[in-house]
Amino acid sequence: MAAEPTPADLLPLLERIAAALERAAPPTVPRVETSGADAFLWGPERRLIPVPRVNRVEIGILTGIDRARDTLVENTERFARGLPANNALLWGARGMGKSSLVKAVHAAINARRPEGARPMKLVEIHREDIEALPALMSLLRDDPHRWLVFCDDLSFDADDTSYKSLKTALDGGIEGRPGNVLFYATSNRRHLLAREMVENERSTAINPGEAVEEKVSLSDRFGLWLGFHKCSQDEYLAMIHAYVARHGLAVEPERLRAEALEWATTRGSRSGRTAFQFIQDLAGRLGQRLDG
């Protein structure tokens, strides 16, 4: 009859089991000292990465989007004060300042916060990391600051199921969305899906309505929709003049108008992005730096 194994005999086996369990366990999410920066990136390692200097423009330079600007400022200001506010979807034409507005509003609200009040934090999550959004929400839930979570250029392909993580995060699941977190997203698509994808699902599904409803209803999770449309020539020129004044560029008005219109014509586009690209070219040709 075989002898009963002793504790010493079992020890190597137990050590191997413990090592296997450690390898299978998810890595611990390291917390960061959130007081060291006002902006962060949610990295692929599922940790907050401080951003010492945010690439953004002053809110006063953003022209031609006055209504969207004022609405987003009001919504964000309520949130910063601890009042009810809506998640926001900024959708529409490319280059019209959607992402610039989110970053500018964050800075503007912090600049005029009451003395002694905690700053509002901004964290950007990339489209490809959207499945980690619930984990980010969970991490921020107990932080004393108020957080704007921002995803730029958000959209989904036909076979992409990560939109379910976004729906879970916006609805909050059984715990509810953290009261100190607000989600802002920008997209070229109002419903976050290409029109041909929606039509294709309608035409091939057994129940067309139900097949599309789950994906299209994603945009309904945003209580605030702000549309951005192509700007007129006058709005485009107003953007140009705002940049020239902000950076103190020395150029004659007639020359500025002619060159700005030619720049837009050669690119087939009038937008805030086109205006700033022209300003960069103009400043370079004038031998002047763009401060800030």
Side-chain angles (χ1 to χ4, degrees):
M1 183 175 180
E4 293 268 341
T6 66
D9 297 327
L10 293 175
L11 184 58
L13 175 61
L14 293 174
E15 288 177 343
R16 289 198 300 272
I17 294 173
L21 291 174
E22 285 184 4
R23 290 193 299 270
T28 302
V29 177
R31 290 185 176 270
V32 297
E33 178 50 55
T34 57
S35 62
D38 286 344
F40 298 82
L41 289 174
W42 180 241
E45 302 86 3
R46 298 198 175 193
R47 65 186 182 92
L48 291 171
I49 303 171
V51 179
R53 187 173 184 274
V54 178
N55 177 29
R56 57 183 158 207
V57 299
E58 296 174 4
I59 196 167
I61 295 180
L62 298 174
T63 60
I65 53 172
D66 297 13
R67 184 175 181 179
R69 178 199 63 207
D70 295 345
T71 302
L72 195 66
V73 166
E74 183 181 350
N75 189 68
T76 312
E77 199 160 42
R78 287 200 302 264
F79 171 69
R81 292 164 52 199
L83 297 173
N86 277 308
N87 298 315
L89 174 63
L90 289 70
W91 68 275
R94 297 187 301 272
M96 282 303 297
K98 298 185 293 294
S99 60
S100 295
L101 179 59
V102 172
K103 292 181 284 187
V105 165
H106 169 252
I109 298 299
N110 273 347
R112 61 186 189 222
R113 74 181 186 273
E115 185 177 354
R118 288 190 178 96
M120 181 171 55
K121 305 290 184 176
L122 176 70
V123 54
E124 181 173 2
I125 180 171
H126 295 305
R127 160 65 190 86
E128 55 269 23
D129 298 321
I130 206 70
E131 286 185 323
L133 183 58
L136 173 59
M137 295 286 200
S138 178
L139 179 67
L140 301 179
R141 182 179 295 274
D142 297 325
D143 190 87
H145 298 90
R146 304 191 75 74
W147 289 83
L148 278 181
V149 177
F150 167 52
C151 184
D152 191 22
D153 198 19
L154 180 62
S155 62
F156 298 95
D157 297 326
D159 57 350
D160 192 344
T161 60
S162 62
Y163 70 92
K164 295 181 180 179
S165 298
L166 178 56
K167 291 178 71 171
T168 299
L170 296 181
D171 287 340
I174 193 171
E175 291 182 293
R177 177 169 59 85
N180 65 328
V181 177
L182 203 61
F183 185 75
Y184 286 175
T186 71
S187 179
N188 297 330
R189 304 166 178 170
R190 184 173 183 177
H191 291 293
L192 305 176
L193 295 171
R195 181 183 298 273
E196 57 269 21
M197 291 161 47
V198 175
E199 296 303 326
N200 182 61
E201 290 211 25
R202 280 201 179 99
S203 64
T204 59
I206 296 175
N207 190 325
E210 291 182 3
V212 177
E213 183 178 357
E214 185 181 16
K215 290 184 177 180
V216 172
S217 67
L218 174 59
S219 59
D220 292 340
R221 266 66 178 181
F222 294 89
L224 186 61
W225 287 7
L226 298 175
F228 290 70
H229 309 286
K230 293 180 180 180
C231 63
S232 66
Q233 178 173 294
D234 288 343
E235 288 170 332
Y236 169 72
L237 290 173
M239 296 173 187
I240 296 291
H241 286 294
Y243 279 124
V244 167
R246 168 63 180 81
H247 297 291
L249 300 181
V251 58
E252 300 81 5
E254 296 79 6
R255 175 189 171 189
L256 178 65
R257 176 185 172 86
E259 292 186 359
L261 292 178
E262 181 183 4
W263 183 272
T265 300
T266 58
R267 279 149 189 78
S269 169
R270 289 193 299 261
S271 69
R273 181 177 299 141
T274 304
F276 185 65
Q277 290 168 345
F278 167 73
I279 290 298
Q280 287 182 303
D281 179 78
L282 177 64
R285 289 186 284 111
L286 293 174
Q288 295 184 235
R289 295 185 180 275
L290 296 178
D291 56 324

